[in-house]
Amino acid sequence: MEDQISTLVLHLGSFDLEIPQSILVWFVLCIVFAVFFIVAGKKIEKADPTQAPKGIVYIAEECYNIVNMVCKGNLKETTMHYLPVFGTLILMMGAANLTGLLGLQNPTSNVSFNATLAICAFLMIQYHGIRKAGAKARFKELCEPMFFLFPLNVIGEIALPLSLTMRLFGNILAGTIITMLVYTLIKSLLPIGVIGLVVTPFLHAYFDIFSGLIQTYIFFTLASFFLGQQVATEE
């Protein structure tokens, strides 16, 4: 491991595997949320439905309400079918974007991580669209309103994962860089630079909390909207 825990290096014979801190943070979050979901599930099974929820049951219920608020308007009657995957990723990305408050590297500041999530969302949209209507209907949809617009429609479809990736990456990375520059300036101007610590709570409040949660909301609102276009019944 390097002097700074920014990258974990695993030596596998003659091959060195470098794992960025952002991926390590995501791995830890996977373990934490897995434990949370298991414990919450057991508590919910034993909970008395006639009593007001409390503790971890109340937290789980509020998490469900938040996820439902993000997805239900887009997924409509299919919400419950896709809620497990969207719910898990929404909660984990929201938590991941808050890790900057602990001085850790946000997983979403890694463009490869964001691209992986965006491509998975894109493939899920295409797969379920074809599964519901069939490949012929999906191809026909890409040819609307005229056949010669097919290439442009394909480009529009491919633009979705690219847009999701770069929007999330740009906003989160910008906040990380600005915050890092402020701390570097404070350190270089010590002891006078200590005054700058008055500003840092507001930076974290905006970039780590407000911007992080807003970007999570936007990412999954768009993903659920385009999925809903393929699988939900039009009103």
Side-chain angles (χ1 to χ4, degrees):
M1 186 180 295
E2 298 178 355
D3 293 335
Q4 294 182 351
I5 310 177
S6 58
T7 303
L8 177 65
V9 181
L10 301 178
H11 302 285
L12 306 174
S14 60
F15 178 74
D16 291 340
L17 176 63
E18 296 186 0
I19 305 177
Q21 185 189 104
S22 57
I23 304 302
L24 294 175
V25 170
W26 183 257
F27 179 71
V28 172
L29 287 174
C30 287
I31 296 175
V32 171
F33 274 92
V35 174
F36 170 77
F37 290 136
I38 292 172
V39 174
K42 292 181 178 179
K43 292 286 187 180
I44 292 172
E45 288 178 354
K46 298 178 181 179
D48 184 355
T50 62
Q51 301 293 325
K54 58 183 180 180
I56 194 170
V57 176
Y58 175 76
I59 294 174
E61 183 176 305
E62 289 303 311
C63 289
Y64 167 80
N65 292 333
I66 291 172
V67 173
N68 204 40
M69 176 192 70
V70 175
C71 300
K72 189 172 183 179
N74 296 324
L75 296 175
K76 301 172 185 175
E77 77 280 358
T78 65
T79 301
M80 293 306 299
H81 181 73
Y82 298 101
L83 196 67
V85 62
F86 274 97
T88 301
L89 291 176
I90 288 172
L91 295 176
M92 288 188 63
M93 184 182 286
N97 288 338
L98 295 177
T99 55
L101 296 172
L102 303 177
L104 300 173
Q105 183 181 0
N106 294 355
T108 48
S109 65
N110 185 324
V111 68
S112 299
F113 174 84
N114 296 340
T116 301
L117 286 181
I119 291 173
C120 287
F122 172 76
L123 293 177
M124 181 172 66
I125 292 168
Q126 300 306 319
Y127 169 76
H128 286 283
I130 294 173
R131 184 180 179 184
K132 180 179 180 180
K136 184 177 180 180
R138 182 67 178 130
F139 177 77
K140 182 179 178 181
E141 182 182 350
L142 293 174
C143 294
E144 294 177 349
M146 300 178 184
F147 179 77
F148 67 84
L149 294 177
F150 174 77
L152 293 178
N153 290 333
V154 171
I155 293 174
E157 292 290 329
I158 297 176
L160 173 62
L162 181 62
S163 173
L164 290 176
T165 299
M166 300 314 296
R167 179 186 290 107
L168 182 60
F169 172 69
N171 282 279
I172 299 301
L173 183 63
T176 301
I177 292 175
I178 292 174
T179 304
M180 180 185 66
L181 289 175
V182 171
Y183 277 113
T184 302
L185 180 62
I186 291 173
K187 183 178 179 180
S188 64
L189 295 178
L190 287 176
I192 300 175
V194 175
I195 300 174
L197 294 177
V198 176
V199 181
T200 54
F202 298 98
L203 291 177
H204 285 294
Y206 179 78
F207 289 115
D208 292 323
I209 300 177
F210 177 76
S211 181
L213 296 180
I214 285 295
Q215 291 307 314
T216 301
Y217 174 79
I218 293 174
F219 186 98
F220 288 103
T221 296
L222 290 174
S224 61
F225 171 78
F226 285 101
L227 179 60
Q229 293 292 302
Q230 299 299 324
V231 300
T233 303
E234 295 186 2
E235 296 181 355

